[in-house]
C-alpha cells in the first residue's frame, strides 16, 4: 500500500486545494459529515431519518441541493472519510494524504450496521430505475439486484448476451445525455428568435386574420340587407332566407376561430418548454436524488458504452427532434 493524492473532485466534507495536493477538510461541511457518522453510529437513525436530520442541519451537496437518500448511503460507504482511497472502477485501494474525518473502527462499525448484521435495520432501498429500462439486445426487462453495496440491473432472459449494468453508470450516462440535450443560453436565444420569426408569418396568424375578415364581410352584408329591407328594395321572404344563411356562416366562422390555439396558452407553453430544457440536469438531481458525492471516474468511453446499452441516445434523439 502506498500514499498518493486523490485524483478526483473532493468528496462532500473536503475542499480541493490544487492539483496533486491533498484535499482539506471543509470548515462548513466536515463537521456535518462527522455528525452524520456519529448519528448513524448511535443506532437511532435509519438512512431515511438520517437524511431528514442532515437536511435539517443544513448539509448540502453540489448545486446546493439537499443530499439524497442515495447520497447519504454513499457517504456512509466512502472509505475516503477514514483516510483510504478506493477507485470504484478498478477496486484499487490506497492510503490518502488527506486528514480523515472518522476512524477506521467507526467506519467498520457503520458498515456492520448498514449490512443489518447488528443494530437496527436500514430502510429498504427503492431501486431508482426499476421498471424504467429494457434490455437493448432482447427488449426484456432489466431487473435491479443489490450485490454487496452496489445495485446492478440484469436482463432476465436466458441466453441473452447482455451483461449487467451498474446503477451509478446508468446515472452517469443519463446525466451526460441531459447535459447534451439541455439548452445553453445561446440556444435559448436562437430558439426564441426563431419563434418570433415564425410567429410573424405563421399559418396560425394568417388563418385567424382571414377568418376575422370573412366575419367582418358577412356582418357588413347583413347590415346592408337590413337597410334594403327597410327601404323596400328587398322583400321580407328573400331577406329572411339570406339572413338565415349568413347567420349560419357566421356561427361556423366563429366556431373555427374558437378552435384556434389561444396565443396566451402558446406563450405559456413556450415559457415552460424553455424553463424545462434549461434545467434538465438540476431537475434530474431533484427528482431522482442523485448522490452529490462523486468519487468514481467518469470516462467518456465508459459512458459511451452505457449509452449504447441503455438506449439513452434514443432519449436524446427524441428530445432533440422536438427542438
Ligand atoms: Zn436481454
Amino acid at each position: 500500500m502506498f500514499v498518493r493524492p486523490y485524483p478526483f473532485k473532493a468528496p462532500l466534507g473536503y475542499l480541493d486545494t490544487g492539483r496533486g495536493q491533498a484535499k482539506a477538510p471543509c470548515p462548513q461541511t466536515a463537521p456535518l459529515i462527522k455528525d452524520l457518522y456519529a448519528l448513524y453510529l448511535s443506532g437511532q437513525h435509519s438512512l431515511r431519518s438520517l437524511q431528514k436530520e442532515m437536511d435539517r442541519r443544513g448539509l448540502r451537496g453540489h448545486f446546493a441541493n439537499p443530499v439524497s437518500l442515495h447520497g447519504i448511503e454513499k457517504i456512509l460507504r466512502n472509505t475516503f472519510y477514514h483516510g483510504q482511497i478506493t477507485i470504484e472502477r478498478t477496486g484499487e485501494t490506497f492510503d490518502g494524504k488527506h486528514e480523515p474525518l472518522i476512524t477506521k473502527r467507526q467506519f467498520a462499525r457503520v458498515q456492520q450496521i448498514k449490512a443489518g448484521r447488528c443494530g437496527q435495520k436500514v430502510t429498504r432501498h427503492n431501486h431508482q430505475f426499476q421498471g424504467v429500462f429494457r434490455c437493448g439486445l432482447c427488449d426484456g426487462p432489466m431487473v435491479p439486484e443489490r450485490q454487496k453495496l452496489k445495485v446492478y440491473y440484469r436482463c432476465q432472459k436466458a441466453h441473452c448476451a447482455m451483461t449487467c449494468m451498474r446503477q451509478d453508470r446508468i446515472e452517469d450516462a443519463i446525466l451526460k445525455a441531459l447535459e447534451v440535450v439541455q439548452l445553453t443560453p445561446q440556444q435559448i436565444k436562437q430558439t426564441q428568435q426563431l419563434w418570433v420569426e415564425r410567429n410573424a408569418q405563421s399559418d396560425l396568424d394568417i388563418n385567424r386574420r382571414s377568418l376575422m375578415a370573412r366575419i367582418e364581410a358577412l356582418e357588413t352584408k347583413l347590415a346592408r340587407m337590413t337597410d334594403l329591407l327597410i327601404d323596400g328594395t328587398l322583400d321580407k321572404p328573400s331577406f329572411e332566407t339570406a339572413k338565415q344563411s349568413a347567420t349560419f356562416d357566421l356561427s361556423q366562422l366563429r366556431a373555427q376561430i374558437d378552435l384556434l390555439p389561444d396565443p396566451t396558452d402558446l406563450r405559456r407553453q413556450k415559457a415552460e418548454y424553455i424553463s424545462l430544457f434549461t434545467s434538465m440536469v438540476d431537475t434530474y438531481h431533484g427528482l431522482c436524488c442523485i448522490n452529490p458525492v462523486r468519487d468514481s471516474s467518469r470516462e467518456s468511453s465508459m459512458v459511451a458504452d452505457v449509452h449504447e446499452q441503455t438506449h439513452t441516445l434514443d432519449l436524446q434523439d427524441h428530445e432533440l427532434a422536438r427542438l
Side-chain angles (χ1 to χ4, degrees):
M1 210 174 273
F2 52 100
V3 173
R4 56 167 133 133
Y6 186 57
F8 306 114
K9 196 170 159 50
L12 201 59
Y14 286 89
L15 296 172
D16 286 306
T17 53
R19 211 179 149 79
Q21 298 299 309
K23 312 293 178 198
C26 165
Q28 277 86 44
T29 52
L32 287 169
I33 296 289
K34 287 181 183 177
D35 287 351
L36 185 152
Y37 269 89
L39 286 168
Y40 193 71
L41 281 168
S42 75
Q44 301 301 306
H45 282 279
S46 67
L47 285 179
R48 204 169 285 278
S49 71
L50 183 60
Q51 185 218 2
K52 280 200 181 127
E53 176 60 20
M54 292 319 295
D55 185 27
R56 197 187 63 76
R57 294 184 182 217
L59 184 67
R60 293 290 177 272
H62 298 317
F63 304 107
N65 283 335
V67 178
S68 67
L69 198 62
H70 180 51
I72 297 285
E73 197 267 331
K74 243 181 139 173
I75 290 172
L76 285 174
R77 67 176 147 88
N78 192 344
T79 59
F80 193 93
Y81 295 113
H82 73 68
Q84 212 167 65
I85 292 169
T86 305
I87 307 292
E88 272 194 29
R89 192 166 52 89
T90 58
E92 192 187 359
T93 299
F94 50 91
D95 281 336
K97 291 199 297 184
H98 61 281
E99 182 190 328
L101 298 184
I102 52 158
T103 65
K104 286 189 168 58
R105 202 185 163 84
Q106 285 174 315
F107 186 82
R109 174 81 186 133
V110 161
Q111 305 321 304
Q112 281 179 341
I113 295 176
K114 274 173 83 228
R117 278 201 286 269
C118 54
Q120 70 176 82
K121 210 164 154 43
V122 295
T123 316
R124 192 180 150 271
H125 191 85
N126 287 319
H127 297 294
Q128 193 162 316
F129 300 123
Q130 188 148 19
V132 173
F133 288 103
R134 301 192 77 82
C135 170
L137 297 180
C138 73
D139 202 36
M142 297 289 279
V143 175
E145 59 190 47
R146 178 170 280 270
Q147 274 182 21
K148 292 183 186 160
L149 295 170
K150 288 202 185 309
V151 176
Y152 294 81
Y153 291 76
R154 193 181 296 281
C155 175
Q156 300 296 301
K157 296 264 174 78
H159 313 305
C160 179
M162 172 61 77
T163 53
C164 62
M165 302 286 314
R166 238 168 69 182
Q167 177 164 291
D168 54 349
R169 296 193 174 172
I170 298 177
E171 283 174 352
D172 280 341
I174 288 175
L175 280 172
K176 197 94 180 168
L178 288 180
E179 277 165 16
V180 173
V181 175
Q182 182 161 295
L183 295 181
T184 63
Q186 170 75 9
Q187 287 169 321
I188 295 166
K189 249 191 181 156
Q190 286 171 349
T191 307
Q192 283 171 329
Q193 181 61 34
L194 203 70
W195 282 340
V196 170
E197 283 165 17
R198 277 197 193 151
N199 230 10
Q201 46 178 330
S202 78
D203 292 349
L204 198 67
D205 265 27
I206 294 168
N207 233 334
R208 185 183 297 273
R209 279 200 295 271
S210 139
L211 287 169
M212 297 292 279
R214 287 168 65 192
I215 287 175
E216 214 180 293
L218 269 175
E219 283 169 344
T220 312
K221 188 179 162 192
L222 259 176
R224 206 175 324 121
M225 284 192 308
T226 312
D227 289 344
L228 292 174
L229 177 73
I230 292 167
D231 70 16
T233 318
L234 196 64
D235 61 74
K236 183 87 176 162
S238 308
F239 170 78
E240 285 301 338
T241 312
K243 187 187 166 190
Q244 222 172 40
S245 149
T247 311
F248 176 76
D249 289 349
L250 266 178
S251 66
Q252 293 285 91
L253 291 170
R254 288 192 177 121
Q256 281 183 48
I257 283 203
D258 286 346
L259 286 177
L260 292 178
D262 180 1
T264 321
D265 272 356
L266 285 179
R267 269 197 300 277
R268 186 181 46 76
Q269 281 168 14
K270 283 175 181 173
E272 279 172 5
Y273 174 91
I274 289 280
S275 142
L276 178 68
F277 273 82
T278 46
S279 61
M280 297 193 80
V281 171
D282 283 353
T283 306
Y284 179 79
H285 279 289
L287 288 176
C288 300
C289 305
I290 276 286
N291 180 16
V293 179
R294 294 210 155 269
D295 52 5
S296 65
S297 127
R298 301 175 67 181
E299 288 179 6
S300 54
S301 64
M302 174 192 89
V303 172
D305 285 343
V306 181
H307 267 294
E308 276 174 25
Q309 295 184 43
T310 59
H311 285 213
T312 42
L313 279 174
D314 288 354
L315 163 80
Q316 196 177 324
D317 287 342
H318 172 70
E319 296 302 346
L320 281 174
R322 290 175 49 194
L323 293 182

